[in-house]
Amino acid sequence: MNTMGTVRLLPWTGPDGKPCFLLGDGTGYVSRIADRMEEEQLGSAADLIDEARQLLGERSWTPGELHLLAVELTAALVQVHRVAESRGARLTEAEREAPDADEAPDADGDGPRLPAEAFG
């Protein structure tokens, strides 16, 4: 890992709507706030999915209810997409630093051993 840490896309935007980023090792105060906010956003999206299923399942909605649901689902999707982008970028960074699975030793210090018969 570089000594400066990694760049993280935060789950909020600045006052002008531009993305906010954090440079660090992922253990600081702002990282913990971002983690909590991401969990809240994901939880809210899950709740909204349940609400949408219930509303749509009743088949007695009004156009206004459908419009509000679409607005809320769009906002939740934007947040979940941002969380996915952020986590995906950090996962990619972690994968670059992790040893290859073929190089990782098992508990004995050797890689897995299979008899030749296992390969047909």
Side-chain angles (χ1 to χ4, degrees), residues 5 23 44-45 48 77 80 108 119:
L23 179 62
S44 293
L48 189 55
L77 184 58
V80 168
D108 299 326
F119 299 101

Side-chain angles (χ1 to χ4, degrees), residues 97-116:
E97 295 175 4
D100 290 339
D102 297 337
E103 296 173 12
D106 64 6
D108 299 326
D110 297 324
R113 304 279 184 219
L114 295 174

Side-chain angles (χ1 to χ4, degrees), residues 80-105:
V80 168
H81 183 260
R82 184 176 202 83
V83 171
E85 284 182 327
S86 177
R87 291 184 178 184
R90 285 181 279 148
L91 179 62
T92 302
E93 181 68 28
E95 286 176 343
R96 278 183 267 179
E97 295 175 4
D100 290 339
D102 297 337
E103 296 173 12

Side-chain angles (χ1 to χ4, degrees), residues 8-111:
R8 175 183 183 171
L9 175 64
L10 294 172
W12 57 80
T13 60
D16 55 358
K18 293 183 181 177
C20 294
F21 296 92
L22 175 67
L23 179 62
D25 63 2
T27 62
Y29 178 72
V30 176
S31 290
R32 290 190 305 273
I33 290 174
D35 290 342
R36 283 193 300 266
M37 187 170 192
E38 285 180 353
E39 291 305 316
E40 265 306 309
Q41 290 172 333
L42 294 174
S44 293
D47 293 344
L48 189 55
I49 290 168
D50 291 341
E51 185 179 323
R53 285 182 176 144
Q54 181 180 358
L55 178 70
L56 296 173
E58 293 172 0
R59 298 185 182 266
S60 61
W61 57 83
T62 66
E65 290 173 324
L66 279 180
H67 177 77
L68 178 59
L69 180 62
V71 168
E72 291 175 341
L73 284 171
T74 301
L77 184 58
V78 167
Q79 291 175 343
V80 168
H81 183 260
R82 184 176 202 83
V83 171
E85 284 182 327
S86 177
R87 291 184 178 184
R90 285 181 279 148
L91 179 62
T92 302
E93 181 68 28
E95 286 176 343
R96 278 183 267 179
E97 295 175 4
D100 290 339
D102 297 337
E103 296 173 12
D106 64 6
D108 299 326
D110 297 324

